[in-house]
Amino acid sequence: MSVLDRFRLDGRVAVVTGASSGLGVDFARGLAEAGADVALGARRVDRLTATAEFVEKEGRRALPVATDVTDPASCEHLVAAAMETFGRVDILVNNAGIGTAVPALKETPQQFRSVIDVNLGGCYWMAQATARVMRPGSSIVNISSVLGLTTAGLPQAAYAASKAALVGLTRDLAQQWTGRRGIRVNALAPGFFHSEMTDAYQPEYLETQLPRVLGGRFGEPEELTAALLFLASDAGSFVTGQTLAVDGGFTIT
């Protein structure tokens, strides 16, 4: 197998949560371009149709499934639907997530719990459901954030806590499953990429953070998708339990 062939995903099946918008759409399209069929999960199932079209334009099969990752039964339903349609699950991209920016003295228990339930709990329930059916050589990629590694000037206790927790969850699942089940578990920590979440930021806030990016710009979705493909494919077959920051140097400033 050549080096470039190791990035191919022909014959494999990926599950992507949060696939109705933003980076989830780019991830699904990139996985399909590399050769994978893709099961798509999100609460906004009507918007999954557009993502499915991107997958199918790459010549791959797509399966949109209404999914609430905070509900373990819904996660199991997504995986069961993928198994029924495709017969296997090789890759999980735990991308579903929400963010808030609420001062710690004003954040309500419900606001805090809602972020933890989606960003951390949702990843755990999806990892459980997929690991039960995955074969050796499979890969789970959790989408964390640079805000799980550093701060960025906003009051984001719930979001930062959930993304930092994903780093620990990634390590622990890797040590449980890589040797015993042959399932690699890694995380990506994206910096600033254009998405629905960054679109909600005030322009002046983004201007204050850009000097911390050594690359001097926001990342392009293709740059993050390329890192995802490395971790999801045989190109990263000797990498597990790691969190890869794709941030233009943000976390070292």
Side-chain angles (χ1 to χ4, degrees):
M1 183 184 295
S2 72
V3 171
L4 291 180
D5 285 341
R6 297 185 73 87
F7 286 88
R8 294 296 308 174
L9 298 173
D10 302 290
R12 301 190 192 184
V13 174
V15 174
V16 180
T17 64
S20 62
S21 63
L23 296 175
V25 178
D26 296 305
F27 292 152
R29 181 162 39 190
L31 290 162
E33 186 178 342
D37 296 322
V38 189
L40 308 163
R43 285 183 288 195
R44 297 177 293 185
V45 67
D46 55 310
R47 297 183 63 174
L48 288 177
T49 302
T51 309
E53 291 175 355
F54 286 130
V55 171
E56 290 164 354
K57 284 180 181 178
E58 299 295 338
R60 307 313 307 167
R61 294 178 293 169
L63 176 66
V65 181
T67 307
D68 178 358
V69 297
T70 68
D71 179 5
S74 185
C75 297
E76 291 169 4
H77 173 68
L78 171 58
V79 175
M83 290 295 291
E84 181 178 355
T85 300
F86 301 127
R88 61 189 294 165
V89 172
D90 305 283
I91 299 160
L92 168 64
V93 182
N94 259 327
N95 174 67
I98 59 174
T100 57
V102 182
L105 293 180
K106 296 181 179 180
E107 192 160 34
T108 67
Q110 180 55 38
Q111 286 174 317
F112 188 87
R113 289 175 184 141
S114 66
V115 175
I116 299 298
D117 284 349
V118 173
N119 295 3
L120 177 59
C123 284
Y124 189 49
W125 306 133
M126 281 302 309
Q128 272 192 346
T130 54
R132 292 188 178 112
V133 303
M134 281 177 158
R135 308 175 187 184
S138 297
S139 174
I140 295 173
V141 182
N142 298 318
I143 307 303
S144 181
S145 168
V146 291
L147 295 183
L149 305 172
T150 185
T151 56
L154 287 179
Q156 293 181 294
Y159 185 78
S162 70
K163 295 302 186 178
L166 273 184
V167 174
L169 180 67
T170 296
R171 286 196 302 262
D172 194 83
L173 295 183
Q175 66 91 19
Q176 289 192 54
W177 293 344
T178 301
R180 187 186 315 164
R181 306 182 68 93
I183 301 170
R184 295 183 298 108
V185 186
N186 291 289
L188 284 177
F192 287 98
F193 289 82
H194 289 293
S195 66
E196 286 187 344
M197 193 173 297
T198 57
D199 288 344
Y201 292 149
Q202 295 296 320
E204 54 268 26
Y205 165 71
L206 296 175
E207 290 173 4
T208 65
Q209 296 304 306
L210 193 57
R212 290 183 60 186
V213 182
L214 299 181
R217 60 175 176 82
F218 278 14
E220 298 294 334
E222 295 83 1
E223 294 172 309
L224 187 60
T225 300
L228 171 72
L229 292 178
F230 165 66
L231 294 177
S233 70
D234 288 340
S237 58
F238 201 51
V239 180
T240 193
Q242 303 303 307
T243 297
L244 173 60
V246 185
D247 64 352
F250 185 84
T251 48
I252 67 169
T253 59

